[in-house]
Amino acid sequence: MSPPHRLSPSLRSWLAQFPKALREVALVRLVASLGAGGVLYLTPIVFHQEAFSAQAVTQGLALAALAGTVGRFLSGALLDRGLACSVPVLLAAVAALLGDVRLLGTSAFGGYVQGQLLLGIAAGLYWPAIELAVPLGCHMGPRPIPSARGYALARSADAAGIAAGALLGALLAAGGRLRGIYLVDIACLVAVVVLLLRQPLPRPTPPSGDPADQTPWRQWLPPLLPVLAISLLATSLPALMQSALPLDLVRGGLERAAMPESLGALLVGLQLGLLVLIQWPVGQALAKRPVAHGLGLSLACFAAGTVLLAFSALSSLGLWLVLLAQLPLALGAAAFLPIATEAVIELSPREHQGLAMALFSQCFALSALAAPLLAGLALDAQRHAGGLWIVMTLLCLAALNLVKRLRPRPAAQETPGGSA
């Protein structure tokens, strides 16, 4: 991203509507996502080339998710004690860099697992801090904005970075240099460290220490449970897009032919490209409506996308169904990502938002732990993922009942830590 004085006047004017602190958060997320895009979505293909079984590939992804659970709770607890959001992100950058170096130079399962564990720890440290930095940044400066709009911008930055990273990875795959994704990530991690040293992320308000100011967990946790349950299911879809879909494409379905690895990478990149185009308008539109609307739309779109993926295995023209499925899957992700995060902020007290964000982020970790393992078993047993996609369709439809239990958007005014 170019410095502000090199941006076009229209883009400068558009960015000026956001507080400076929020723009800095979005820039860090953009650069971090650029490096992570290829690593997250194309690592399964890298080690498929090394003749790893589907279960071996997905076991590494699951272990990474397990390693991230500790980092998430540690990050959330420290944030609730007033630790600056920059510290967990800097630690995450160091862990991810070590993981990239390990994955770049190994063809053995042991080295693959070590690299994945480091990447999992990095993700655990990163997400609670970078998510909490958004509402904090929204309320810094003379012109604060609602945190829902801030999350729309932040998720747009994530989508743009990940899509660009995955596309770059696809180009590297086409050129026979797929492991170059780890070099790209290393360069981006170094850039993130430089950005954070130049402009640290916001610091949460330290707790007062007065027990009277502390909301008991029995009061704030139960309202969060429906959001967390929906998130656990919805976050399994990105995990499956990273693990099962690339392997499903290169292996083929019952009637759908196996695709070249470069084409499989480009199809994954297509969904990410669609997400870039629609993330901001969808997030901006849903920010004006109750969070239940956005989460309901997300689940319906995920159901539509997965049923198309399931039927793609049954046709020799299944490639077209895979292409068609990318639109509802991208729309589901665009609706879920900013709105679910906003729902967590709305329903948690300010003094516990770090821990609440850690619980929300934990949904990504748990789904990334279970979904790849189940996907690996399904792929090795059936040689295709048709049954897996049907199960995901049914679960998404069933989860629509949880949306009805969500509270409406609170009418209380915004506070510096997020919605009151």
Side-chain angles (χ1 to χ4, degrees), residues 41 151-152 154-156 158-159 162 234-239 241-242 271-276 278-280 282-283 286 294-303 305 325-341 360 364 396:
Y41 283 87
Y151 279 119
R155 291 300 186 179
S156 297
D158 292 341
I162 288 177
T235 54
S236 67
L237 268 299
M241 295 304 106
Q242 296 168 21
Q271 183 197 138
L272 299 175
L274 288 171
L275 186 57
V276 172
I278 66 176
Q279 180 66 82
W280 171 252
V282 170
L286 293 176
L295 293 179
L297 174 64
S298 173
L299 290 170
C301 290
F302 281 144
Q326 305 313 303
L327 181 57
L329 289 171
L331 182 56
F336 170 78
L337 291 170
I339 298 306
T341 318
F360 171 66
F364 289 80
C396 288

Side-chain angles (χ1 to χ4, degrees), residues 48-324:
H48 173 75
Q49 292 177 341
E50 300 294 338
F52 281 31
S53 69
Q55 287 189 56
V57 172
T58 54
Q59 281 172 4
L61 298 174
L63 288 172
L66 184 61
T69 59
V70 177
R72 282 172 168 84
F73 281 125
L74 177 61
S75 181
L78 292 174
L79 290 169
D80 280 347
R81 293 179 177 272
L83 183 73
C85 294
S86 296
V87 177
V89 177
L90 285 169
L91 293 174
V94 173
L97 192 150
L98 294 174
D100 287 333
V101 170
R102 192 70 184 98
L103 291 173
L104 178 64
T106 187
S107 299
F109 182 71
Y112 169 67
V113 168
Q114 292 169 12
Q116 288 292 347
L117 288 173
L118 286 165
L119 293 183
I121 292 171
L125 292 168
Y126 175 84
W127 279 111
I130 205 69
E131 292 284 53
L132 186 57
V134 173
L136 296 174
C138 286
H139 295 87
M140 294 181 67
R143 291 185 296 174
I145 64 171
S147 57
R149 292 192 65 216
Y151 279 119
L153 175 67
R155 291 300 186 179
S156 297
D158 292 341
I162 288 177
L167 177 60
L168 182 56
L171 295 176
L172 290 169
R177 298 287 187 272
L178 185 52
R179 281 187 187 250
I181 58 177
Y182 302 115
L183 295 175
V184 173
D185 195 28
I186 288 171
C188 290
L189 289 168
V190 172
V192 165
V193 171
V194 172
L195 287 171
L196 291 176
L197 293 177
R198 179 178 64 87
Q199 181 64 52
L201 298 177
R203 179 187 295 272
T205 302
S208 66
D210 186 352
D213 295 334
Q214 301 294 314
T215 306
W217 68 268
R218 294 178 182 84
Q219 294 182 16
W220 65 268
L221 183 57
L224 275 180
L225 293 180
V227 175
L228 296 178
I230 293 170
S231 299
L232 188 61
L233 172 62
T235 54
S236 67
L237 268 299
L240 292 174
M241 295 304 106
Q242 296 168 21
S243 58
L245 182 58
L247 294 175
D248 189 23
L249 295 176
V250 298
R251 284 177 167 223
L254 287 173
E255 298 294 335
R256 187 187 70 232
M259 300 178 190
E261 292 166 351
S262 58
L263 179 58
L266 284 172
L267 279 175
V268 172
L270 173 62
Q271 183 197 138
L272 299 175
L274 288 171
L275 186 57
V276 172
L277 295 177
I278 66 176
Q279 180 66 82
W280 171 252
V282 170
Q284 177 78 342
L286 293 176
K288 303 173 183 177
R289 305 182 66 84
V291 293
H293 289 204
L295 293 179
L297 174 64
S298 173
L299 290 170
C301 290
F302 281 144
T306 51
V307 77
L308 288 172
L309 289 178
F311 282 117
S312 75
L314 306 178
S315 171
S316 59
L317 300 177
L319 172 60
W320 296 104
L321 290 177
V322 173
L323 288 170
L324 184 60

Side-chain angles (χ1 to χ4, degrees), residues 233 303 306-307 387-400:
L233 172 62
T306 51
V307 77
L388 174 68
W389 300 128
I390 283 292
V391 169
M392 295 307 301
T393 300
L394 296 176
L395 289 175
C396 288
L397 293 175
L400 288 172

